Amino acid sequence: VGGMVTMLSMDRRYSYAAVACPLSFFSAVSASWTHLSLGGIESRDQNGVPMGEISDAEDAATLSCGVRVNRRLSVGAGVRLLYHALAGYRASGRGYSTGLLLKPWMPLTLGASLQNLLAKVTWDTPGRTRETLPRTGRLGLGLRPASWANLSLDYEIVQRQGGTWHAGGEIMVGE
């Protein structure tokens, strides 16, 4: 179980809550909610004349499950419900995610995930505007060279935006 509420600069708010529960030694489920909002945005018409303030808020609720196929392979999937409110208009939709975790030998872990599969939102505008969210793919590896150290490297690619490398490490001190 985890969560947080953070007030950020420029009247932004970020909130998150999650819970995960094992169903058995071989499976687990989780649920999470994420909220990001921004208020006090000055609205203007096409001539630049101020028209008052608007706000923007996005929410995502996710339900996921994972299964340990064998001692070396685990797979998971999730569904995400999406909601967006902007300047009096609203959009809703859903998307799917999947992933796998492979442990070929003890110090090495490999992972892959695909997010926002078939993810679309439909706005309540007069034309019922539909948007497709960009898919995200990730490939990563983790290495545990010693019982007190972890290293990680992953590559993330977002549809229509290109890719980014991420790296990290962790050293455990005391117990």
Side-chain angles (χ1 to χ4, degrees):
V1 176
M4 69 170 209
V5 174
T6 305
M7 301 304 293
L8 303 168
S9 61
M10 297 182 280
D11 199 22
R12 295 173 300 147
R13 178 182 174 152
Y14 176 67
S15 305
Y16 178 82
V19 61
C21 179
L23 296 177
S24 71
F25 181 72
F26 300 103
S27 63
V29 295
S30 69
S32 67
W33 165 75
T34 305
H35 170 83
L36 179 63
S37 61
L38 170 63
I41 303 169
E42 188 175 295
S43 173
R44 295 180 178 263
D45 68 11
Q46 64 272 18
N47 297 317
V49 177
M51 297 179 55
E53 289 188 352
I54 60 172
S55 63
D56 182 18
E58 294 184 54
D59 289 276
T62 305
L63 182 61
S64 304
C65 66
V67 176
R68 184 176 173 186
V69 176
N70 59 45
R71 66 183 190 93
R72 293 193 173 160
L73 177 64
S74 298
V75 295
V79 61
R80 178 174 292 141
L81 302 177
L82 305 164
Y83 176 79
H84 194 161
L86 174 63
Y89 293 103
R90 291 174 178 29
S92 61
R94 67 181 168 270
Y96 305 93
S97 300
T98 187
L100 65 89
L101 192 68
L102 179 63
K103 296 182 177 189
W105 63 89
M106 194 51 168
L108 181 67
T109 302
L110 303 171
S113 70
L114 292 173
Q115 292 180 298
N116 289 338
L117 299 172
L118 305 173
K120 294 181 180 168
V121 294
T122 303
W123 288 89
D124 67 355
T125 57
R128 303 275 305 155
T129 303
R130 290 189 72 172
E131 293 179 315
T132 300
L133 301 177
R135 288 183 302 275
T136 300
R138 290 185 179 90
L139 292 172
L141 65 89
L143 182 64
R144 189 166 193 168
S147 63
W148 49 269
N150 289 314
L151 300 172
S152 67
L153 177 67
D154 68 75
Y155 185 71
E156 173 185 51
I157 187 162
V158 179
Q159 184 181 16
R160 299 184 300 267
Q161 295 178 24
T164 307
W165 286 97
H166 305 273
E170 173 183 49
I171 295 175
M172 292 164 256
V173 240
E175 295 224 348

